């Protein structure tokens, strides 16, 4: 039992480290806002489970991304093109998970608020994602 309690302490320390990461904090706040909004507008229980799943999926992916980046920095503290590709790929996994979450979240929230077909939320989500992906393609990712 002592080992289990120690493991819980280590996991709690890991969460403290994640909370120091800017992107994790941003995603945590966005997730809290979405979950609060879902509760406020009283989305269907199953839809709320989807919002909860999407929120924690993004947080888990960001945690894995942080892990990969920290590990890469330890193994290669100097610039290495292979490490850059590794970090960019890990970040893209978070981006893709976030994109799916935006589509699902908008579908649920717009359907609940306006009674619209779920595809309306998907369409708005796709438009938003195209804008953000375009920003990344044409201006982001350069140092």
């Amino acid at each position: 039992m002592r080992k289990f309690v120690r493991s819980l302490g280590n996991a709690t320390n890991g969460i403290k480290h994640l909370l120091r990461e800017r992107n994790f904090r941003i995603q945590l706040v966005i997730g809290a806002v979405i979950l609060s909004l879902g509760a406020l507008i009283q989305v269907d229980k199953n839809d709320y489970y989807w919002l909860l799943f999407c929120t924690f999926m993004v947080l888990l992916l960001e945690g894995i991304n942080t892990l990969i980046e920290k590990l890469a920095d330890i193994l290669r503290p100097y610039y290495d093109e292979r490490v850059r590709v590794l970090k960019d790929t890990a970040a893209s996994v978070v981006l893709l998970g976030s994109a799916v979450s935006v589509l699902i979240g908008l579908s649920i929230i717009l359907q609940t608020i306006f009674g619209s077909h779920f595809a309306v939320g998907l369409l708005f989500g796709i438009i938003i994602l195209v804008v953000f992906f375009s920003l990344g393609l044409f201006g982001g990712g350069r140092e």
Side-chain angles (χ1 to χ4, degrees):
M1 184 67 168
R2 215 176 284 163
K3 285 184 179 181
F4 178 72
V5 172
R6 191 174 319 129
S7 294
L8 288 176
N10 294 337
T12 302
N13 287 336
I15 292 172
K16 289 176 188 175
H17 290 292
L18 281 175
L19 288 170
R20 291 186 195 119
E21 296 291 322
R22 179 181 55 92
N23 288 346
F24 188 86
R25 288 192 314 266
I26 290 169
Q27 291 160 346
L28 183 64
V29 168
I30 291 170
V33 167
I34 294 300
L35 291 174
S36 297
L37 178 63
L40 184 68
I41 64 173
Q42 298 178 347
V43 299
D44 178 68
K45 178 177 72 169
N46 290 329
D47 288 340
Y48 196 81
Y49 289 148
W50 277 106
L51 293 177
L52 190 63
F53 171 78
C54 288
T55 298
F56 280 91
M57 175 187 65
V58 171
L59 293 173
L60 290 171
L61 290 173
E62 183 60 41
I64 292 168
N65 177 50
T66 299
L67 174 79
I68 290 169
E69 288 183 352
K70 299 292 185 191
L71 187 58
D73 288 341
I74 291 169
L75 297 176
R76 299 274 188 207
Y78 51 87
Y79 180 81
D80 185 327
E81 181 64 18
R82 295 171 301 175
V83 171
R84 185 195 61 79
V85 170
L86 179 71
K87 289 180 172 186
D88 287 353
T89 304
S92 74
V93 171
V94 179
L95 180 62
L96 292 172
S98 298
V100 169
S101 295
V102 166
L103 294 176
I104 291 171
L106 278 174
S107 292
I108 290 170
I109 289 174
L110 291 179
Q111 185 177 23
T112 303
I113 293 174
F114 300 112
S116 60
H117 192 270
F118 77 93
V120 173
L122 288 178
L123 179 62
F124 279 115
I126 290 169
I127 292 168
I128 290 169
L129 293 176
V130 166
V131 169
F132 280 108
F133 280 118
S134 297
L135 290 173
L137 287 174
F138 299 116
R142 295 187 185 102
E143 294 183 22

